[in-house]
Amino acid sequence: MKLGFLTACLPGRSLEDIASFAQRQGYEALEVAAWPRLADRPFTASHLDAAAMTKDRAQETVGRLAEQGLEISSLSFYDNNLHPDPAERSAVNAHVHACIDAARLLGVPTVGTFIGRHPGRTVAENLREAEEIFPDLVRHADDAGVKLVIENCVMEGWHPDGYPGNLAYSPELWEWMFSLGLYLNFDPSHLVWMGIDPVDALRPYVERVAHAQAKDIELFPERRNRYGYPGRAVNRPDPWDTGWWRYRVPGLGQVDWQRIVDVLYEGGFNGVLSVEHEDPVWGGTNDRILTGLRIAHQTLRPLVAA
């Protein structure tokens, strides 16, 4: 197992600058943000132009990172593959294809995305639509020697009432995903606020985890008693603010990282555990974000054998 981080937390920094920091800090891999250049959404970045990738650019990128002792663990484009607008859905699907092609050129083993959801349709209706869309993406990935991984993020901010906006939030849905040939980018933080034990949830499915993310979470149960699991309803100007939990960097929340890493090792996982930094306490400026990544490294390095 290797330790890395997702570059999306530093959207204004170049990949070269991020790699220099990663090398100095002792990280071994980068999960590279690969949203389209025109994307302007929270938690996104464009550190690699997948649509413009060529063999020469790929060799140059991989070579520069290798000189710093780094590898690319995954290309990340987490967007709504079931977007309710047909044109937007088509564009998202097309960019997943572009990321797969770029991953093949770069020799990157995985591409990460979301199932997504049409918020005006039932879960069952969405699953049937996904079964029409994802087989083509999976075939393309298989042909490229790439695994398509789905993060189990709930994406509650995509739904007008704070309900799941990405249909990959539970082991029941993971099994459905696996039947389509998809793999899991496992992130324990989302399971905690959903009331699912991340250790028990992970154990039976390690062989389908092709990539893993390290994000922590801090719960405020007394606030949940007021809002319920979906979060704030009357006054919620920020769709991502449920009011009763927040993400933290590993070590500052309630995820048991010793048990999570142990289950990954026990199950034979030999991929990358990638820090996803969305901690509001250690956010806001580049210096604070880098400090958050240092805290995460200090927490996880003793558990992930270098």
Side-chain angles (χ1 to χ4, degrees):
M1 199 186 310
K2 294 182 179 180
L3 189 58
F5 67 86
L6 173 59
T7 66
C9 60
L10 293 162
R13 300 286 289 270
S14 69
L15 184 58
E16 291 75 16
D17 286 346
I18 294 171
S20 294
F21 165 80
Q23 179 191 34
R24 294 193 304 273
Q25 188 57 47
Y27 283 101
E28 301 153 293
L30 294 174
E31 182 184 0
V32 177
W35 276 262
R37 296 292 184 186
L38 298 179
D40 184 19
R41 304 182 184 92
F43 319 119
T44 68
S46 302
H47 289 127
L48 184 148
D49 190 346
M53 185 58 60
T54 64
K55 184 177 180 181
D56 289 343
R57 287 178 181 173
Q59 290 177 341
E60 180 184 1
T61 300
V62 171
R64 286 201 310 266
L65 292 174
E67 290 172 0
Q68 296 172 291
L70 296 167
E71 64 184 60
I72 300 176
S73 64
S74 189
L75 298 187
S76 291
F77 171 55
Y78 287 93
D79 216 319
N80 190 352
N81 280 283
L82 299 178
H83 197 285
D85 179 80
E88 183 68 18
R89 179 187 295 194
S90 179
V92 171
N93 300 162
H95 194 66
V96 175
H97 279 288
C99 286
I100 292 169
D101 289 334
R104 176 181 60 81
L105 292 171
L106 290 158
V108 173
T110 68
V111 167
T113 191
F114 286 141
I115 298 294
R117 179 178 187 169
H118 187 313
R121 294 178 181 161
T122 68
V123 170
E125 290 169 341
N126 274 276
L127 298 186
R128 301 296 83 78
E129 289 192 39
E131 289 164 3
E132 297 295 324
I133 290 172
F134 276 91
D136 181 55
L137 294 172
V138 170
R139 280 193 295 270
H140 189 185
D142 287 345
D143 291 344
V146 173
K147 291 179 179 178
L148 199 57
V149 297
I150 306 296
E151 184 191 347
N152 56 291
C153 182
V154 185
M155 293 306 286
E156 65 287 346
W158 279 353
H159 194 285
D161 294 319
Y163 301 144
N166 173 43
L167 300 181
Y169 55 83
S170 68
E172 176 190 24
L173 288 164
W174 301 349
E175 292 177 357
W176 164 79
M177 287 173 6
F178 300 155
S179 74
L180 300 180
L182 296 163
Y183 290 81
L184 180 63
N185 188 7
F186 176 77
D187 183 334
S189 65
H190 308 294
L191 295 165
V192 174
W193 78 265
M194 292 286 287
I196 300 172
D197 184 319
V199 175
D200 287 346
L202 170 62
R203 185 171 282 111
Y205 303 108
V206 176
E207 66 178 12
R208 297 296 296 189
V209 176
H211 195 269
Q213 288 183 330
K215 185 163 73 256
D216 219 323
I217 188 168
E218 183 179 12
L219 307 182
F220 303 95
E222 72 282 0
R223 301 182 195 173
R224 183 184 59 212
N225 289 340
R226 172 173 173 78
Y227 299 123
Y229 276 94
R232 301 179 192 268
V234 176
N235 183 20
R236 188 169 172 168
D238 180 353
W240 302 102
D241 181 9
T242 68
W244 70 271
W245 57 264
R246 63 183 179 181
Y247 293 128
R248 304 304 308 271
V249 293
L252 299 181
Q254 290 159 254
V255 173
D256 187 336
W257 291 105
Q258 184 169 337
R259 293 185 68 208
I260 290 289
V261 172
D262 185 55
V263 169
L264 287 170
Y265 271 125
E266 184 180 9
F269 178 76
N270 61 359
V272 171
L273 180 61
S274 176
V275 175
E276 184 181 19
H277 183 351
E278 294 180 356
D279 187 328
V281 177
W282 292 106
T285 68
N286 282 339
D287 286 345
R288 292 186 70 82
I289 292 167
L290 295 179
T291 298
L293 290 170
R294 292 187 184 100
I295 293 170
H297 186 273
Q298 291 168 5
T299 298
L300 298 172
R301 182 80 286 167
L303 304 177
V304 179

